[in-house]
Amino acid sequence: MYRYDEFDQEFVTERVAQFRGQVERRLSGELTEDQFKPLRLMNGVYLQLHAYMLRIAVPYGTLNAEQVRMLAFIARKYDRGYGHFTTRQNLQFHWPALKDVPDILEHLASVEMHAIQTSGNCIRNVTADQFAGAAADEAVDPRPYAEILRQWSSLHPEFVFLPRKFKIAVTGAERDRAAIQVHDIGLHAKRDESGRIGFAVYVGGGLGRTPMIAHKIHDFLPEEDILSYCEAILRVYNLFGRRDNKYKARIKILVHETGAEEIKRQVDAEWERIRHSALALPDSEIERIQAYFALPADLTPRPAESVVLNRARVTNAGLNQWIDQNVVPHKISGHAIATISLKPIGGTPGDATAEQMELVADLAERYSHGEIRVSHEQNLVLPHLALDDLPAVYEALERAGLGTANAGLVTDIIACPGLDYCALANARSIPIAQRISERFGSQARQNEIGDLKIKISGCINACGHHHVGHIGILGVEKKGEEFYQLTLGGSGDETTSIGEIIGKGFSSDEVIDAVETVVDTYLAHRANADEDFLAAYRRLGQAPFKEALYGAT
Amino acid sequence: MFKAATSGPAKVVTANRLDNGLVVFLDPQGGWTLDIAEARILDDDEIDAALAYGKEQDDARIIVDSYAIDVQVTDGLAVPVRLREKIRAERGPTIVYGEAERTKLTAAAD
Ligand code: SF4
């Protein structure tokens, strides 16, 4: 993975020193909260419902064992022994004291991490396919480009005061695991017939109050143009994006109001002016960054079948189920990628204790060439496992409460922190996720239901991606009570769709039954066991679900 | 006596501590307590003065962002009206977290 060069390290270290001074001045009274707030936000420090919150960037969801161990250390020493992985592949600590934050940031800097640009109206942490560089179905490893974009967007002087925040996602496989069509810019790296690398460029997607699917404005942008083209998009947005109304300030509104064709024309015009500038990427620079992401030298092909694994699968039903559900093929024979579910039945989605983080770091070091990934679905990933090692990895995970075999199933729920932690929330998300998880917790029932993505947000900001949940749940406040609105048919993959509101909302008491009714209706109406929820909903439409939920109209 | 009412609707002033961010409530001595049971219960005519005091305490770098919340008082004990403030007054989420959650889930699995 990428290692900081001198410039990166110096910049991050200086930034810690600068923030240390700012915190001191705040605590000594030289800075008022109004003066300090923008400064702390620039360093990822929010004031939430119960305490400060520190959001740490995990660039394109990639971590090494040393970094995860450091996160565990910080969780234990400065927080309450756990951390929360988010839908932006970041990590949040919910309880740091302000006075400790400079020390935390210094520890992070020592392992090449920081919290810069995890807040504010700037280009945020670039996200990517969590299986990048490992997936068998991948055409191009998106991480080198994500890294190039990270370097370009870090403190880019022109883009530190954008109309609103700006999120970029990159994938390199046909199967979109990074939800690129609901980002401000989505990039799909691919190869043409001659093997050249280029990008399909999507712009203007987003969730929140006004969910929109991005428009494709370029089919195949040559790789050397990635920065000049993104810069052109950002320039058009920076110039014409609305600054008069926070709710209309994202690029999705600009694209919607201006029209995708006109936006493309404006972007192309700007791009023509700058594409041959210093932003054009020479091959040598792309190769230099790619070298950081080469597969580990000792990750060499092994026999495609593992006798050890096959034998263990016969005798260990738990392992067998976990392999079926959480393990996918690796591009190198004899290897696999494993999703570590952070969704134990009845647990808090995305939370990991310090001890669990340390175990994952140990396993990564021992079995996965030191690499760990964070998925936007709030799970962790060990990307490079030999098939022979899977039984040992599973056993260790299982002992630590990390062996839940539910990746992609009904209990693999995305949930934002909601009213249990978040100052902006209208309703709780986590308890709803926990109750659904318990309701559908039996493995047999989950298997019968098959692929089903439930996503829950505690307010319209949609951090829990409810709009793209097969079943989406949005918490609202009605007369002081928590209510939950269901949307059906959303999807964040290569067939992105925004879920449709099915009808009036449900009270906290009713909502779990309502979800079960939706699931039972699907089971009753599906063409066969191979037709998953999304496919069935797309075929059937709202009618049978509406009728089951609200009675015949 | 500072306790304005022993039952019925009233208000208390809340904020977050500057140094560690934790939720606090204004108490009868002009200090800040983590426990809403020790909060000063305010009548309508006391609120402006209490908020002005909160602002001073903000300037004095004790707390951040003080504001008044509606409470229902029963036998001298204030219970926030809005769920958001109920959860804040509980000093943490409504679910168990961290090691305690691990312990709970492990027990449930056994
Ligand atoms: S969706 Fe709303 S409640 Fe949930 S984390 Fe985002 S802002 Fe908070």
Side-chain angles (χ1 to χ4, degrees), chain A residues 26-30 33 47-52 80-82 95-99 344-348 351 353 355-356 399-401 419-421 423-424 428 430-431 434 477 480 482, chain B residues 15-23 58-65 67 81-102 104-106 108:
Chain A
R26 173 69 184 119
L27 293 173
S28 72
E30 282 171 65
E33 183 62 15
L47 185 55
Q48 286 288 30
L49 211 53
H50 305 289
Y52 291 103
R80 297 192 177 176
Y82 71 112
W95 305 95
L98 180 60
K99 59 183 173 47
I345 302 304
T348 303
D351 276 11
T353 65
E355 206 176 313
Q356 289 177 324
R399 269 201 306 273
L419 193 52
D420 280 296
Y421 292 100
L424 303 172
R428 284 171 290 174
I430 297 167
Q434 293 176 330
E477 186 183 350
E482 293 168 296
Chain B
N16 291 73
R17 276 180 55 142
L18 172 64
D19 58 353
N20 61 15
L22 295 183
V23 174
D58 200 318
D59 294 341
R61 312 180 315 267
I62 312 286
I63 48 107
V64 207
D65 290 345
Y67 58 96
V81 173
R82 282 190 66 197
L83 177 64
R84 177 185 202 274
E85 297 303 331
K86 275 194 189 110
I87 292 174
R88 285 181 79 244
E90 290 295 321
R91 301 187 223 178
T94 61
I95 39 138
V96 291
Y97 55 84
E99 274 308 323
E101 176 173 31
R102 269 287 289 139
K104 182 184 144 191
L105 295 177
T106 313

Side-chain angles (χ1 to χ4, degrees), chain A residues 48 55 92 415-419 421-427 429 456-466 474:
Chain A
Q48 286 288 30
R55 181 181 293 155
Q92 294 181 179
C416 78
L419 193 52
Y421 292 100
C422 176
L424 303 172
N426 290 323
S429 310
I456 311 174
S457 303
C459 81
I460 195 65
N461 288 327
C463 304
H465 295 183
H466 65 278
L474 166 65

Side-chain angles (χ1 to χ4, degrees), chain A residues 13 97 429 537:
Chain A
T13 307
S429 310
Y537 179 82

